[in-house]
Amino acid sequence: MTRMGNSAARAALIYQHATAERERLIGQAVSAVVELARKQDPDPNGHVAGT
């Protein structure tokens, strides 16, 4: 609560919830990008050509 600059516990809980929700959304977005890349990768092992 102090590190976040909130003087009230209620405010800290509200922002903590918002942060957790944002982290969940970011995780979903990263997963979607990875899945798209996997579908477009012609090598099933995920290796880049020439490596």
Side-chain angles (χ1 to χ4, degrees):
M1 186 172 93
T2 302
R3 277 186 253 148
M4 292 173 53
N6 301 121
S7 59
R10 180 165 162 55
L13 290 174
I14 290 169
Y15 288 114
Q16 180 181 1
H17 175 73
T19 301
E21 177 67 13
R22 183 70 177 152
E23 288 179 11
R24 185 184 65 76
L25 292 172
I26 291 169
Q28 287 177 336
V30 170
S31 291
V33 169
V34 170
E35 287 302 316
L36 180 62
R38 285 181 177 166
K39 289 177 183 175
Q40 293 175 350
D41 187 357
D43 184 339
N45 297 316
H47 298 285
V48 176
T51 58

mmCIF file of all heavy atoms in Angstrom:
data_model
loop_
_atom_site.group_PDB
_atom_site.id
_atom_site.type_symbol
_atom_site.label_atom_id
_atom_site.label_comp_id
_atom_site.label_asym_id
_atom_site.label_seq_id
_atom_site.Cartn_x
_atom_site.Cartn_y
_atom_site.Cartn_z
ATOM 1 N N MET A 1 0.839 -1.177 0.000
ATOM 2 C CA MET A 1 0.000 0.000 0.000
ATOM 3 C C MET A 1 0.890 1.248 0.000
ATOM 4 O O MET A 1 0.659 2.164 -0.784
ATOM 5 C CB MET A 1 -0.906 -0.028 1.232
ATOM 6 C CG MET A 1 -1.928 1.055 1.275
ATOM 7 S SD MET A 1 -3.101 0.825 2.635
ATOM 8 C CE MET A 1 -2.334 1.791 3.878
ATOM 9 N N THR A 2 1.891 1.257 0.849
ATOM 10 C CA THR A 2 2.773 2.419 0.933
ATOM 11 C C THR A 2 3.583 2.590 -0.344
ATOM 12 O O THR A 2 3.724 3.690 -0.859
ATOM 13 C CB THR A 2 3.729 2.280 2.138
ATOM 14 O OG1 THR A 2 2.934 2.136 3.307
ATOM 15 C CG2 THR A 2 4.610 3.486 2.282
ATOM 16 N N ARG A 3 4.117 1.494 -0.877
ATOM 17 C CA ARG A 3 4.915 1.579 -2.104
ATOM 18 C C ARG A 3 4.108 2.109 -3.271
ATOM 19 O O ARG A 3 4.638 2.771 -4.145
ATOM 20 C CB ARG A 3 5.493 0.212 -2.460
ATOM 21 C CG ARG A 3 6.761 -0.083 -1.705
ATOM 22 C CD ARG A 3 7.376 -1.359 -2.166
ATOM 23 N NE ARG A 3 7.137 -2.333 -1.106
ATOM 24 C CZ ARG A 3 6.965 -3.618 -1.275
ATOM 25 N NH1 ARG A 3 6.999 -4.133 -2.458
ATOM 26 N NH2 ARG A 3 6.757 -4.409 -0.256
ATOM 27 N N MET A 4 2.826 1.798 -3.298
ATOM 28 C CA MET A 4 1.972 2.263 -4.396
ATOM 29 C C MET A 4 1.510 3.701 -4.189
ATOM 30 O O MET A 4 0.936 4.310 -5.068
ATOM 31 C CB MET A 4 0.756 1.334 -4.534
ATOM 32 C CG MET A 4 1.129 -0.049 -5.007
ATOM 33 S SD MET A 4 -0.232 -1.230 -4.985
ATOM 34 C CE MET A 4 -1.506 -0.420 -5.893
ATOM 35 N N GLY A 5 1.745 4.250 -2.988
ATOM 36 C CA GLY A 5 1.365 5.625 -2.721
ATOM 37 C C GLY A 5 -0.084 5.787 -2.300
ATOM 38 O O GLY A 5 -0.624 6.887 -2.353
ATOM 39 N N ASN A 6 -0.720 4.711 -1.870
ATOM 40 C CA ASN A 6 -2.113 4.785 -1.435
ATOM 41 C C ASN A 6 -2.169 4.963 0.074
ATOM 42 O O ASN A 6 -1.489 4.271 0.816
ATOM 43 C CB ASN A 6 -2.882 3.520 -1.820
ATOM 44 C CG ASN A 6 -2.883 3.282 -3.308
ATOM 45 O OD1 ASN A 6 -2.430 2.254 -3.762
ATOM 46 N ND2 ASN A 6 -3.372 4.229 -4.077
ATOM 47 N N SER A 7 -3.017 5.885 0.504
ATOM 48 C CA SER A 7 -3.159 6.102 1.938
ATOM 49 C C SER A 7 -4.258 5.231 2.531
ATOM 50 O O SER A 7 -4.345 5.081 3.742
ATOM 51 C CB SER A 7 -3.464 7.575 2.218
ATOM 52 O OG SER A 7 -4.658 7.951 1.552
ATOM 53 N N ALA A 8 -5.090 4.650 1.677
ATOM 54 C CA ALA A 8 -6.198 3.825 2.156
ATOM 55 C C ALA A 8 -6.068 2.409 1.612
ATOM 56 O O ALA A 8 -5.698 2.209 0.450
ATOM 57 C CB ALA A 8 -7.536 4.416 1.727
ATOM 58 N N ALA A 9 -6.361 1.434 2.452
ATOM 59 C CA ALA A 9 -6.278 0.033 2.030
ATOM 60 C C ALA A 9 -7.242 -0.247 0.880
ATOM 61 O O ALA A 9 -6.927 -1.016 -0.026
ATOM 62 C CB ALA A 9 -6.578 -0.880 3.208
ATOM 63 N N ARG A 10 -8.415 0.365 0.901
ATOM 64 C CA ARG A 10 -9.402 0.149 -0.168
ATOM 65 C C ARG A 10 -8.847 0.569 -1.530
ATOM 66 O O ARG A 10 -8.986 -0.134 -2.519
ATOM 67 C CB ARG A 10 -10.682 0.915 0.143
ATOM 68 C CG ARG A 10 -11.763 0.766 -0.898
ATOM 69 C CD ARG A 10 -13.115 1.226 -0.363
ATOM 70 N NE ARG A 10 -14.118 1.518 -1.339
ATOM 71 C CZ ARG A 10 -14.571 0.739 -2.309
ATOM 72 N NH1 ARG A 10 -14.025 -0.443 -2.475
ATOM 73 N NH2 ARG A 10 -15.520 1.115 -3.126
ATOM 74 N N ALA A 11 -8.191 1.706 -1.582
ATOM 75 C CA ALA A 11 -7.592 2.171 -2.833
ATOM 76 C C ALA A 11 -6.523 1.192 -3.313
ATOM 77 O O ALA A 11 -6.443 0.870 -4.500
ATOM 78 C CB ALA A 11 -7.006 3.564 -2.658
ATOM 79 N N ALA A 12 -5.703 0.710 -2.393
ATOM 80 C CA ALA A 12 -4.661 -0.247 -2.754
ATOM 81 C C ALA A 12 -5.262 -1.512 -3.342
ATOM 82 O O ALA A 12 -4.761 -2.053 -4.329
ATOM 83 C CB ALA A 12 -3.809 -0.581 -1.532
ATOM 84 N N LEU A 13 -6.356 -1.997 -2.770
ATOM 85 C CA LEU A 13 -7.006 -3.209 -3.282
ATOM 86 C C LEU A 13 -7.595 -2.986 -4.667
ATOM 87 O O LEU A 13 -7.536 -3.868 -5.524
ATOM 88 C CB LEU A 13 -8.095 -3.677 -2.306
ATOM 89 C CG LEU A 13 -7.582 -4.243 -0.990
ATOM 90 C CD1 LEU A 13 -8.751 -4.522 -0.049
ATOM 91 C CD2 LEU A 13 -6.781 -5.508 -1.224
ATOM 92 N N ILE A 14 -8.159 -1.815 -4.903
ATOM 93 C CA ILE A 14 -8.726 -1.504 -6.223
ATOM 94 C C ILE A 14 -7.628 -1.531 -7.279
ATOM 95 O O ILE A 14 -7.762 -2.147 -8.328
ATOM 96 C CB ILE A 14 -9.440 -0.146 -6.198
ATOM 97 C CG1 ILE A 14 -10.720 -0.247 -5.370
ATOM 98 C CG2 ILE A 14 -9.746 0.337 -7.623
ATOM 99 C CD1 ILE A 14 -11.376 1.076 -5.065
ATOM 100 N N TYR A 15 -6.516 -0.864 -6.993
ATOM 101 C CA TYR A 15 -5.429 -0.821 -7.965
ATOM 102 C C TYR A 15 -4.750 -2.171 -8.116
ATOM 103 O O TYR A 15 -4.300 -2.521 -9.202
ATOM 104 C CB TYR A 15 -4.420 0.266 -7.597
ATOM 105 C CG TYR A 15 -4.965 1.648 -7.844
ATOM 106 C CD1 TYR A 15 -5.201 2.516 -6.797
ATOM 107 C CD2 TYR A 15 -5.274 2.068 -9.130
ATOM 108 C CE1 TYR A 15 -5.718 3.789 -7.019
ATOM 109 C CE2 TYR A 15 -5.795 3.326 -9.367
ATOM 110 C CZ TYR A 15 -6.014 4.175 -8.309
ATOM 111 O OH TYR A 15 -6.529 5.420 -8.543
ATOM 112 N N GLN A 16 -4.675 -2.934 -7.046
ATOM 113 C CA GLN A 16 -4.095 -4.273 -7.131
ATOM 114 C C GLN A 16 -4.926 -5.127 -8.068
ATOM 115 O O GLN A 16 -4.391 -5.862 -8.893
ATOM 116 C CB GLN A 16 -4.024 -4.914 -5.753
ATOM 117 C CG GLN A 16 -3.433 -6.306 -5.772
ATOM 118 C CD GLN A 16 -3.401 -6.933 -4.391
ATOM 119 O OE1 GLN A 16 -3.847 -6.335 -3.409
ATOM 120 N NE2 GLN A 16 -2.881 -8.125 -4.300
ATOM 121 N N HIS A 17 -6.238 -5.048 -7.975
ATOM 122 C CA HIS A 17 -7.122 -5.803 -8.858
ATOM 123 C C HIS A 17 -6.931 -5.366 -10.303
ATOM 124 O O HIS A 17 -6.840 -6.198 -11.204
ATOM 125 C CB HIS A 17 -8.581 -5.618 -8.437
ATOM 126 C CG HIS A 17 -9.542 -6.265 -9.384
ATOM 127 N ND1 HIS A 17 -9.704 -7.628 -9.452
ATOM 128 C CD2 HIS A 17 -10.365 -5.738 -10.325
ATOM 129 C CE1 HIS A 17 -10.591 -7.916 -10.395
ATOM 130 N NE2 HIS A 17 -11.001 -6.789 -10.932
ATOM 131 N N ALA A 18 -6.841 -4.069 -10.535
ATOM 132 C CA ALA A 18 -6.649 -3.557 -11.890
ATOM 133 C C ALA A 18 -5.332 -4.053 -12.471
ATOM 134 O O ALA A 18 -5.258 -4.411 -13.649
ATOM 135 C CB ALA A 18 -6.691 -2.029 -11.876
ATOM 136 N N THR A 19 -4.291 -4.102 -11.659
ATOM 137 C CA THR A 19 -2.989 -4.580 -12.120
ATOM 138 C C THR A 19 -3.050 -6.065 -12.467
ATOM 139 O O THR A 19 -2.522 -6.483 -13.505
ATOM 140 C CB THR A 19 -1.919 -4.329 -11.041
ATOM 141 O OG1 THR A 19 -1.858 -2.932 -10.774
ATOM 142 C CG2 THR A 19 -0.567 -4.801 -11.483
ATOM 143 N N ALA A 20 -3.699 -6.852 -11.646
ATOM 144 C CA ALA A 20 -3.817 -8.289 -11.920
ATOM 145 C C ALA A 20 -4.597 -8.528 -13.204
ATOM 146 O O ALA A 20 -4.238 -9.387 -14.016
ATOM 147 C CB ALA A 20 -4.488 -8.995 -10.750
ATOM 148 N N GLU A 21 -5.645 -7.766 -13.416
ATOM 149 C CA GLU A 21 -6.439 -7.901 -14.643
ATOM 150 C C GLU A 21 -5.600 -7.526 -15.862
ATOM 151 O O GLU A 21 -5.636 -8.192 -16.888
ATOM 152 C CB GLU A 21 -7.684 -7.014 -14.555
ATOM 153 C CG GLU A 21 -8.541 -7.013 -15.799
ATOM 154 C CD GLU A 21 -9.214 -8.342 -16.095
ATOM 155 O OE1 GLU A 21 -9.230 -9.225 -15.223
ATOM 156 O OE2 GLU A 21 -9.728 -8.501 -17.220
ATOM 157 N N ARG A 22 -4.825 -6.463 -15.756
ATOM 158 C CA ARG A 22 -3.973 -6.027 -16.870
ATOM 159 C C ARG A 22 -2.917 -7.085 -17.178
ATOM 160 O O ARG A 22 -2.656 -7.373 -18.347
ATOM 161 C CB ARG A 22 -3.304 -4.694 -16.499
ATOM 162 C CG ARG A 22 -2.462 -4.125 -17.579
ATOM 163 C CD ARG A 22 -3.317 -3.642 -18.725
ATOM 164 N NE ARG A 22 -2.446 -3.046 -19.718
ATOM 165 C CZ ARG A 22 -2.710 -2.990 -21.000
ATOM 166 N NH1 ARG A 22 -3.858 -3.444 -21.451
ATOM 167 N NH2 ARG A 22 -1.887 -2.452 -21.829
ATOM 168 N N GLU A 23 -2.329 -7.682 -16.161
ATOM 169 C CA GLU A 23 -1.341 -8.741 -16.377
ATOM 170 C C GLU A 23 -1.976 -9.939 -17.079
ATOM 171 O O GLU A 23 -1.360 -10.552 -17.950
ATOM 172 C CB GLU A 23 -0.714 -9.165 -15.056
ATOM 173 C CG GLU A 23 0.233 -8.127 -14.488
ATOM 174 C CD GLU A 23 0.834 -8.542 -13.170
ATOM 175 O OE1 GLU A 23 0.698 -9.716 -12.774
ATOM 176 O OE2 GLU A 23 1.448 -7.684 -12.522
ATOM 177 N N ARG A 24 -3.212 -10.274 -16.725
ATOM 178 C CA ARG A 24 -3.913 -11.377 -17.375
ATOM 179 C C ARG A 24 -4.132 -11.063 -18.854
ATOM 180 O O ARG A 24 -3.895 -11.913 -19.725
ATOM 181 C CB ARG A 24 -5.253 -11.635 -16.686
ATOM 182 C CG ARG A 24 -5.993 -12.853 -17.233
ATOM 183 C CD ARG A 24 -7.366 -13.008 -16.597
ATOM 184 N NE ARG A 24 -8.255 -11.912 -16.927
ATOM 185 C CZ ARG A 24 -8.871 -11.758 -18.109
ATOM 186 N NH1 ARG A 24 -8.687 -12.639 -19.070
ATOM 187 N NH2 ARG A 24 -9.670 -10.740 -18.329
ATOM 188 N N LEU A 25 -4.537 -9.838 -19.158
ATOM 189 C CA LEU A 25 -4.768 -9.448 -20.551
ATOM 190 C C LEU A 25 -3.473 -9.466 -21.359
ATOM 191 O O LEU A 25 -3.455 -9.910 -22.513
ATOM 192 C CB LEU A 25 -5.406 -8.057 -20.610
ATOM 193 C CG LEU A 25 -6.829 -7.969 -20.088
ATOM 194 C CD1 LEU A 25 -7.277 -6.517 -20.015
ATOM 195 C CD2 LEU A 25 -7.775 -8.778 -20.962
ATOM 196 N N ILE A 26 -2.395 -9.008 -20.765
ATOM 197 C CA ILE A 26 -1.100 -9.026 -21.447
ATOM 198 C C ILE A 26 -0.666 -10.465 -21.709
ATOM 199 O O ILE A 26 -0.191 -10.792 -22.808
ATOM 200 C CB ILE A 26 -0.041 -8.263 -20.628
ATOM 201 C CG1 ILE A 26 -0.355 -6.775 -20.632
ATOM 202 C CG2 ILE A 26 1.362 -8.530 -21.167
ATOM 203 C CD1 ILE A 26 0.452 -5.962 -19.649
ATOM 204 N N GLY A 27 -0.853 -11.344 -20.746
ATOM 205 C CA GLY A 27 -0.517 -12.754 -20.923
ATOM 206 C C GLY A 27 -1.307 -13.393 -22.050
ATOM 207 O O GLY A 27 -0.765 -14.157 -22.853
ATOM 208 N N GLN A 28 -2.584 -13.071 -22.130
ATOM 209 C CA GLN A 28 -3.417 -13.605 -23.210
ATOM 210 C C GLN A 28 -2.944 -13.097 -24.569
ATOM 211 O O GLN A 28 -2.913 -13.849 -25.547
ATOM 212 C CB GLN A 28 -4.880 -13.223 -22.998
ATOM 213 C CG GLN A 28 -5.553 -13.983 -21.888
ATOM 214 C CD GLN A 28 -6.985 -13.521 -21.675
ATOM 215 O OE1 GLN A 28 -7.360 -12.409 -22.010
ATOM 216 N NE2 GLN A 28 -7.790 -14.400 -21.099
ATOM 217 N N ALA A 29 -2.571 -11.822 -24.635
ATOM 218 C CA ALA A 29 -2.101 -11.251 -25.896
ATOM 219 C C ALA A 29 -0.793 -11.902 -26.349
ATOM 220 O O ALA A 29 -0.623 -12.230 -27.529
ATOM 221 C CB ALA A 29 -1.924 -9.741 -25.762
ATOM 222 N N VAL A 30 0.127 -12.110 -25.414
ATOM 223 C CA VAL A 30 1.402 -12.763 -25.748
ATOM 224 C C VAL A 30 1.152 -14.194 -26.220
ATOM 225 O O VAL A 30 1.739 -14.641 -27.206
ATOM 226 C CB VAL A 30 2.367 -12.731 -24.543
ATOM 227 C CG1 VAL A 30 3.581 -13.603 -24.798
ATOM 228 C CG2 VAL A 30 2.789 -11.309 -24.245
ATOM 229 N N SER A 31 0.261 -14.903 -25.561
ATOM 230 C CA SER A 31 -0.065 -16.273 -25.960
ATOM 231 C C SER A 31 -0.642 -16.306 -27.374
ATOM 232 O O SER A 31 -0.310 -17.195 -28.168
ATOM 233 C CB SER A 31 -1.074 -16.884 -24.988
ATOM 234 O OG SER A 31 -0.472 -17.108 -23.744
ATOM 235 N N ALA A 32 -1.485 -15.343 -27.691
ATOM 236 C CA ALA A 32 -2.079 -15.288 -29.031
ATOM 237 C C ALA A 32 -1.003 -15.063 -30.088
ATOM 238 O O ALA A 32 -1.033 -15.691 -31.156
ATOM 239 C CB ALA A 32 -3.132 -14.185 -29.094
ATOM 240 N N VAL A 33 -0.040 -14.202 -29.805
ATOM 241 C CA VAL A 33 1.051 -13.948 -30.753
ATOM 242 C C VAL A 33 1.891 -15.206 -30.947
ATOM 243 O O VAL A 33 2.252 -15.567 -32.073
ATOM 244 C CB VAL A 33 1.927 -12.768 -30.271
ATOM 245 C CG1 VAL A 33 3.201 -12.655 -31.091
ATOM 246 C CG2 VAL A 33 1.149 -11.473 -30.324
ATOM 247 N N VAL A 34 2.193 -15.911 -29.869
ATOM 248 C CA VAL A 34 2.986 -17.141 -29.951
ATOM 249 C C VAL A 34 2.238 -18.202 -30.753
ATOM 250 O O VAL A 34 2.826 -18.869 -31.614
ATOM 251 C CB VAL A 34 3.347 -17.655 -28.538
ATOM 252 C CG1 VAL A 34 3.942 -19.050 -28.595
ATOM 253 C CG2 VAL A 34 4.302 -16.691 -27.852
ATOM 254 N N GLU A 35 0.962 -18.366 -30.482
ATOM 255 C CA GLU A 35 0.174 -19.364 -31.222
ATOM 256 C C GLU A 35 0.120 -19.037 -32.712
ATOM 257 O O GLU A 35 0.240 -19.935 -33.551
ATOM 258 C CB GLU A 35 -1.241 -19.451 -30.648
ATOM 259 C CG GLU A 35 -1.295 -20.149 -29.305
ATOM 260 C CD GLU A 35 -0.741 -21.561 -29.348
ATOM 261 O OE1 GLU A 35 -1.052 -22.332 -30.288
ATOM 262 O OE2 GLU A 35 0.030 -21.911 -28.428
ATOM 263 N N LEU A 36 -0.030 -17.770 -33.053
ATOM 264 C CA LEU A 36 -0.048 -17.369 -34.457
ATOM 265 C C LEU A 36 1.294 -17.676 -35.120
ATOM 266 O O LEU A 36 1.344 -18.201 -36.229
ATOM 267 C CB LEU A 36 -0.373 -15.880 -34.580
ATOM 268 C CG LEU A 36 -0.436 -15.326 -35.993
ATOM 269 C CD1 LEU A 36 -1.535 -16.012 -36.799
ATOM 270 C CD2 LEU A 36 -0.670 -13.820 -35.945
ATOM 271 N N ALA A 37 2.385 -17.384 -34.415
ATOM 272 C CA ALA A 37 3.714 -17.665 -34.955
ATOM 273 C C ALA A 37 3.916 -19.158 -35.153
ATOM 274 O O ALA A 37 4.505 -19.588 -36.147
ATOM 275 C CB ALA A 37 4.786 -17.100 -34.027
ATOM 276 N N ARG A 38 3.416 -19.962 -34.237
ATOM 277 C CA ARG A 38 3.551 -21.417 -34.370
ATOM 278 C C ARG A 38 2.790 -21.927 -35.581
ATOM 279 O O ARG A 38 3.250 -22.835 -36.272
ATOM 280 C CB ARG A 38 3.036 -22.114 -33.112
ATOM 281 C CG ARG A 38 3.966 -22.010 -31.947
ATOM 282 C CD ARG A 38 3.410 -22.722 -30.753
ATOM 283 N NE ARG A 38 4.348 -22.681 -29.638
ATOM 284 C CZ ARG A 38 4.042 -22.989 -28.412
ATOM 285 N NH1 ARG A 38 2.816 -23.391 -28.104
ATOM 286 N NH2 ARG A 38 4.944 -22.914 -27.460
ATOM 287 N N LYS A 39 1.634 -21.368 -35.844
ATOM 288 C CA LYS A 39 0.830 -21.804 -36.992
ATOM 289 C C LYS A 39 1.491 -21.422 -38.307
ATOM 290 O O LYS A 39 1.326 -22.106 -39.310
ATOM 291 C CB LYS A 39 -0.568 -21.189 -36.917
ATOM 292 C CG LYS A 39 -1.409 -21.777 -35.806
ATOM 293 C CD LYS A 39 -2.751 -21.095 -35.712
ATOM 294 C CE LYS A 39 -3.532 -21.663 -34.535
ATOM 295 N NZ LYS A 39 -4.793 -20.954 -34.317
ATOM 296 N N GLN A 40 2.259 -20.331 -38.299
ATOM 297 C CA GLN A 40 2.902 -19.863 -39.531
ATOM 298 C C GLN A 40 4.277 -20.482 -39.741
ATOM 299 O O GLN A 40 4.851 -20.351 -40.800
ATOM 300 C CB GLN A 40 3.039 -18.334 -39.491
ATOM 301 C CG GLN A 40 1.708 -17.632 -39.534
ATOM 302 C CD GLN A 40 1.830 -16.132 -39.385
ATOM 303 O OE1 GLN A 40 2.892 -15.607 -39.066
ATOM 304 N NE2 GLN A 40 0.741 -15.432 -39.618
ATOM 305 N N ASP A 41 4.809 -21.180 -38.750
ATOM 306 C CA ASP A 41 6.146 -21.760 -38.815
ATOM 307 C C ASP A 41 6.110 -23.071 -39.597
ATOM 308 O O ASP A 41 5.460 -24.022 -39.180
ATOM 309 C CB ASP A 41 6.658 -22.009 -37.396
ATOM 310 C CG ASP A 41 8.112 -22.461 -37.366
ATOM 311 O OD1 ASP A 41 8.719 -22.630 -38.445
ATOM 312 O OD2 ASP A 41 8.642 -22.636 -36.264
ATOM 313 N N PRO A 42 6.815 -23.155 -40.719
ATOM 314 C CA PRO A 42 6.805 -24.386 -41.515
ATOM 315 C C PRO A 42 7.582 -25.531 -40.863
ATOM 316 O O PRO A 42 7.380 -26.675 -41.197
ATOM 317 C CB PRO A 42 7.461 -23.978 -42.832
ATOM 318 C CG PRO A 42 8.315 -22.813 -42.483
ATOM 319 C CD PRO A 42 7.612 -22.107 -41.336
ATOM 320 N N ASP A 43 8.482 -25.241 -39.931
ATOM 321 C CA ASP A 43 9.270 -26.274 -39.255
ATOM 322 C C ASP A 43 8.569 -26.654 -37.947
ATOM 323 O O ASP A 43 8.467 -25.826 -37.042
ATOM 324 C CB ASP A 43 10.676 -25.736 -38.963
ATOM 325 C CG ASP A 43 11.590 -26.798 -38.346
ATOM 326 O OD1 ASP A 43 11.082 -27.791 -37.788
ATOM 327 O OD2 ASP A 43 12.816 -26.628 -38.449
ATOM 328 N N PRO A 44 8.108 -27.885 -37.803
ATOM 329 C CA PRO A 44 7.383 -28.277 -36.599
ATOM 330 C C PRO A 44 8.230 -28.215 -35.327
ATOM 331 O O PRO A 44 7.698 -28.194 -34.236
ATOM 332 C CB PRO A 44 6.936 -29.703 -36.895
ATOM 333 C CG PRO A 44 7.872 -30.187 -37.938
ATOM 334 C CD PRO A 44 8.270 -28.974 -38.751
ATOM 335 N N ASN A 45 9.556 -28.180 -35.476
ATOM 336 C CA ASN A 45 10.444 -28.096 -34.320
ATOM 337 C C ASN A 45 10.694 -26.663 -33.881
ATOM 338 O O ASN A 45 11.347 -26.410 -32.888
ATOM 339 C CB ASN A 45 11.781 -28.784 -34.590
ATOM 340 C CG ASN A 45 11.588 -30.264 -34.827
ATOM 341 O OD1 ASN A 45 10.831 -30.909 -34.105
ATOM 342 N ND2 ASN A 45 12.255 -30.798 -35.828
ATOM 343 N N GLY A 46 10.238 -25.707 -34.688
ATOM 344 C CA GLY A 46 10.400 -24.297 -34.340
ATOM 345 C C GLY A 46 11.760 -23.723 -34.631
ATOM 346 O O GLY A 46 12.089 -22.646 -34.186
ATOM 347 N N HIS A 47 12.587 -24.437 -35.394
ATOM 348 C CA HIS A 47 13.927 -23.961 -35.714
ATOM 349 C C HIS A 47 13.888 -23.046 -36.930
ATOM 350 O O HIS A 47 13.169 -23.281 -37.887
ATOM 351 C CB HIS A 47 14.865 -25.135 -35.997
ATOM 352 C CG HIS A 47 15.049 -26.037 -34.826
ATOM 353 N ND1 HIS A 47 15.822 -25.703 -33.751
ATOM 354 C CD2 HIS A 47 14.524 -27.270 -34.545
ATOM 355 C CE1 HIS A 47 15.780 -26.685 -32.864
ATOM 356 N NE2 HIS A 47 14.999 -27.640 -33.325
ATOM 357 N N VAL A 48 14.704 -22.016 -36.849
ATOM 358 C CA VAL A 48 14.847 -21.117 -37.989
ATOM 359 C C VAL A 48 15.781 -21.773 -38.990
ATOM 360 O O VAL A 48 16.751 -22.433 -38.610
ATOM 361 C CB VAL A 48 15.431 -19.756 -37.520
ATOM 362 C CG1 VAL A 48 15.672 -18.839 -38.692
ATOM 363 C CG2 VAL A 48 14.496 -19.114 -36.513
ATOM 364 N N ALA A 49 15.516 -21.591 -40.273
ATOM 365 C CA ALA A 49 16.349 -22.197 -41.319
ATOM 366 C C ALA A 49 17.812 -21.779 -41.142
ATOM 367 O O ALA A 49 18.115 -20.643 -40.852
ATOM 368 C CB ALA A 49 15.852 -21.769 -42.693
ATOM 369 N N GLY A 50 18.691 -22.748 -41.271
ATOM 370 C CA GLY A 50 20.123 -22.493 -41.197
ATOM 371 C C GLY A 50 20.702 -22.536 -39.789
ATOM 372 O O GLY A 50 21.876 -22.201 -39.614
ATOM 373 N N THR A 51 19.910 -22.918 -38.821
ATOM 374 C CA THR A 51 20.476 -22.965 -37.459
ATOM 375 C C THR A 51 20.719 -24.392 -37.043
ATOM 376 O O THR A 51 20.169 -25.318 -37.523
ATOM 377 C CB THR A 51 19.541 -22.315 -36.417
ATOM 378 O OG1 THR A 51 18.290 -22.984 -36.431
ATOM 379 C CG2 THR A 51 19.379 -20.852 -36.712
#
